[in-house]
Amino acid sequence: MDTVEVECQSSTQLDSEKREPRVGMEFDTDDQAYEFYNEYGRRKGFCVRKGPFHKTRDDLVKDRRYLCSKEGYRQPDRRREEVKNPRPETRTGCLASMTVALQSSGKYRVIKFEPAHNHEVASVSPKKSLLLRSQKKLTKARPTLAGVIHERRLAPKPTYEFLSRQACVPQNLGHLHVDLQNYLFLKRQKTMEMGITGAIIEYFKKMQLENPSSFYSMQMDANEQITNIFWADARSIADYWHFGDVVCFDTTYKTNVCGRAFASLIGVNHHNQIIVFGAALLYEDTVNSFIWLFDNFIKAMSGKKPTTFLTEESAPISKAIATFLPDTHHCFCLSHIFQNAIKHLSHILNGSSICKSDFHRCLYEYEDEEEFLKAWESLLEKHGLKDNKWLEDLFNEREKWALVYRRHMFCANMTSMQQRESFDTLLQRYLTSELDPIRFFERIERLIEHCRYNELLEDFKMLNTSPVLFAALPVLEQASRLYTPSLCQMFQEECKLAITLKVFQLECDGSMSKYKVTDRHARDHVVKIETSDNSFQCSCCKFEFTGIQCSHVLKMLIHLNMDFLDARYILKRWTKDAKKGELNDDHRSLVQGNHQAAREMRYTDLCRNMVKLAMRAAETEESFSHLTRANLKLMKEVEGILKNVSQVRPSTVSQTANASEMGLSISDEDVVITVPSQG
């Protein structure tokens, strides 16, 4: 018995014994046998197709014939007479074939080989080989890349030309323009055939197949129609573990996908950049829908709840948070409040910059409750707003938005209008209401990858550059060593303000001292200092609110000739080491990054290197033979690696559109599908 083995042999022996089919050869799988015979057909100049086969009781291929594409004859068709331009005949009754059969060892042995053809065959050049139908191949990486390019509304032909240039020459692609066009058409057709529900389930199954730690959940009604959807990929879950202390829940971007509003759960990383923790499509803005969403969000994050939850001004959201997250600080986003004010008070704000300024100060400036109440009363009287219903309702929930009541709540600088607007700009760039669900999910993926690429740029900047300091202050040098560049810049701004401040001592009682710090606008702030442990507390509560020490405390540091901040005033989440340290058991297996994008990048790199290698090896027969032998050996080694990886990869949850097979709990109320994250 002969076995197909890959060994370094002479070129003559390789060509005569290894590249020609013969009875007795064995292959690990029937697919390997097909690939071998197909490669043989490419060299000889004929096209191969798979012929009849039988299966065992275990659903394994028992035997199969691989045929010349000219085998048999075209069957008569009574409609042929009506065809104006009939297709040319291709069948000649050729008997050339190779038959394999499954052995007790589990391998497939060649039991019959017929080399003779009844038509002319001749070896073809690489440029012509892709014209053979069985030689056309769309790799796993290429279709995805083509789909992304086509998503940008680029026609199939320009897409094919772009891919051809990337592969150096068209024949390196392994397929024609028409094959790419058929692929894109069949992809759209398959989505339409599956229907919206089936296509969505298929999308999430693929997402979790790439990384089992990803999470998705769908709520369905009694008719098994999807109502609400939530999903988070593995990287988002890992990011939440590091930066999930503050979460902003945003439903204000009303892009409808199949009648559902888009909602995002976002935060900020150690560079003060927007990061996405999860996303949802909600059928209705009800308390039950929000409770369902928050429940699944916390499940995806292994039970870890945020310290502060920022939302828009909404009664259903407020009630859902009070019910499901009673221990979490719930605050309204000040940017949302200001936008709502422009909408509800447009008749006054548009014509009065003074009114806008007074309202802005009520939102952001006051540190003392009595001062805030006086300013609010003055706002209502000065601009005739005492009977305004929206302002009345807003005032009743002032603890959730007025900084005077929530300065002690950590918000990680998430009240910034600039951050809110930058994320809105991203949403407008990537999302439109015309998108079907699958294209919508793909656009969300690209939006998230855009955010992660920005983080990558900041990481590179952090590792390869040092901030320019405006003064040689020890505390500033300490900040440049510990903080990320963007946070160091924020800290520098506070140091610059500190230089302009004036200090007056108010009282000293043992180890406790009080100072009044006055800024250039004559606003006073009180700083308390406990000398026994060098602790500081400022009335502005900037450190408690943002995690960055305020200019008033920094002024006192300089005033008392203290060089450095105590470690307690340097939050790890703002430092260069924010992501260092182990995740918990549920998060250790999370793989960072987008797997599909990584596969495409690896494929592109390999193509570039292999094309260069092939061009050099083609120079002489000796180098060609050497590379051919090495390639066969490498192929077997790569197949072994992939086989081992597939055996140890965790199993994923398999779902179908059938409710009973999915294990759905169907009631008169709704149906819930949940795929938990797997560590």
Side-chain angles (χ1 to χ4, degrees), residues 313-331:
E313 179 195 357
S314 166
I317 294 177
S318 297
K319 188 173 181 180
I321 292 176
T323 302
F324 189 75
L325 299 169
D327 299 326
T328 296
H329 298 307
H330 178 209
C331 304

Side-chain angles (χ1 to χ4, degrees), residues 448-576:
I448 294 174
E449 285 306 313
H450 175 90
C451 295
R452 290 170 183 170
Y453 178 72
N454 288 339
E455 181 178 337
L456 180 66
L457 294 179
E458 282 298 311
D459 283 342
F460 180 83
K461 178 181 176 182
M462 177 180 71
L463 295 174
N464 294 279
T465 63
S466 299
V468 178
L469 307 181
F470 80 97
L473 297 174
V475 69
L476 198 51
E477 293 173 353
Q478 177 193 23
S480 69
R481 291 194 305 271
L482 298 177
Y483 285 134
T484 61
S486 56
L487 267 295
C488 182
Q489 184 59 38
M490 291 174 58
F491 191 83
Q492 279 211 83
E493 295 302 320
E494 293 297 325
C495 288
K496 289 178 182 178
L497 286 175
I499 296 176
T500 65
L501 303 179
K502 296 180 180 180
V503 178
F504 305 93
Q505 185 167 2
L506 296 178
E507 61 181 80
C508 181
D509 183 12
S511 61
M512 174 65 72
S513 299
K514 283 186 180 181
Y515 293 85
K516 181 176 71 173
V517 181
T518 304
D519 61 24
R520 58 186 177 182
H521 300 292
R523 289 177 298 198
D524 296 334
H525 307 273
V526 177
V527 178
K528 298 178 181 179
I529 304 175
E530 178 60 56
T531 57
S532 61
D533 60 356
N534 290 330
S535 62
F536 296 82
Q537 185 178 7
C538 181
S539 59
C540 75
C541 296
K542 184 179 181 67
F543 176 75
E544 290 80 2
F545 190 68
T546 67
I548 295 291
Q549 198 55 274
C550 65
S551 58
H552 319 118
V553 169
L554 294 178
K555 179 65 178 181
M556 293 309 307
L557 213 67
I558 298 171
H559 181 75
L560 299 175
N561 296 318
M562 299 175 68
D563 291 335
F564 303 107
L565 278 175
D566 190 85
R568 82 189 85 170
Y569 299 117
I570 305 288
L571 292 190
K572 182 182 177 183
R573 65 116 52 231
W574 294 130
T575 68
K576 299 175 182 178

Side-chain angles (χ1 to χ4, degrees), residues 366-385:
Y366 296 105
E367 299 175 10
D368 181 75
E369 182 180 7
E370 186 175 347
E371 289 182 356
F372 165 76
L373 294 175
K374 288 181 179 178
W376 184 264
E377 190 67 26
S378 173
L379 170 71
L380 300 181
E381 289 182 0
K382 186 191 301 185
H383 304 286
L385 297 171

